[in-house]
Amino acid sequence: MEIPFLIGDRIYLRPLDAETDLDRCLRWINDSAVLVALGRRQPTGRVSERQWLEEQYKTDSQMNLAILLKDEDRHIGNCGFNEIDYANRSGIFGILIGEKDAWGHGYGPEAARLILKFGFEELGLHRIGLEVYSHNARAIRAYEKVGFVREGTLRESYYRNGAYHDTIVMSVLEPEWRGRRAGPAAV
């Protein structure tokens, strides 16, 4: 097992590394199935992806980590926070499961629980938000499963493949998250 930062039941999160993770992240970010979920239209080159990886730990306003399967020690995706605002105690959550054979196995929600716990308990965040496209029903279910609630809809804000899609704005507040963890329905 590589050096873990946060450890779950089936996965662990560790810092991203430009040397060991670059090719894998570049493959994911240029995969058309992943691009559509992220709302990206253009490919990313090696220089840009390396720069993104190298910038991860130079500022306190973002923190993205690699998601690895514990039993295989295999990097399957990334998750973390962007736009961390310590004055307002908020951040934007993002996740990408890049290995398609890892889709639908609950690794995303497990990673989200780990990083949300860190965000609320260690970073002192009060609100963690995200945006997701309405056509990504699997992601919406996963976010709701870990406690995110819908706040609103940006109607027909995303155009892809000849159709407009809504952008769903979601968030989870620290008291909601804490209550969910303490209650009988805690996951």
Side-chain angles (χ1 to χ4, degrees), residues 9-77:
D9 293 331
R10 300 176 302 150
I11 64 165
Y12 69 94
L13 308 181
R14 65 151 169 83
L16 287 159
D17 181 88
E19 296 307 315
T20 60
D21 299 331
L22 176 62
D23 289 337
R24 207 170 13 261
C25 290
L26 194 57
R27 178 172 43 88
W28 296 339
I29 203 72
N30 287 311
D31 183 313
S32 61
V34 175
L35 282 173
V36 111
L38 297 178
R40 295 179 55 108
R41 296 181 195 286
Q42 306 207 359
T44 298
R46 180 172 287 284
V47 171
S48 295
E49 189 66 9
R50 178 178 290 283
Q51 182 179 8
W52 181 81
L53 286 165
E54 290 173 346
E55 295 295 318
Q56 286 309 300
Y57 308 106
K58 292 183 178 177
T59 174
D60 289 341
S61 66
Q62 64 182 12
M63 185 188 82
N64 288 287
L65 300 167
I67 304 168
L68 286 92
L69 299 179
K70 283 169 69 174
D71 60 349
E72 299 174 41
D73 210 29
R74 182 169 67 116
H75 184 192
I76 61 165

Side-chain angles (χ1 to χ4, degrees), residues 70-139:
K70 283 169 69 174
D71 60 349
E72 299 174 41
D73 210 29
R74 182 169 67 116
H75 184 192
I76 61 165
N78 304 322
C79 71
F81 300 120
N82 296 296
E83 300 177 35
I84 299 172
D85 178 344
Y86 290 99
N88 292 304
R89 297 178 54 206
S90 67
I92 303 298
F93 172 74
I95 188 166
L96 174 151
I97 302 295
E99 295 296 335
K100 292 178 186 168
D101 66 337
W103 291 3
H105 295 282
Y107 299 127
E110 185 175 346
R113 285 184 201 99
L114 284 172
I115 201 76
L116 289 175
K117 182 178 191 294
F118 183 81
F120 290 128
E121 293 183 359
E122 300 298 325
L123 298 180
L125 299 180
H126 173 72
R127 179 186 184 278
I128 298 173
L130 63 83
E131 291 185 356
V132 60
Y133 301 113
S134 59
H135 62 72
N136 197 346
R138 185 177 68 230

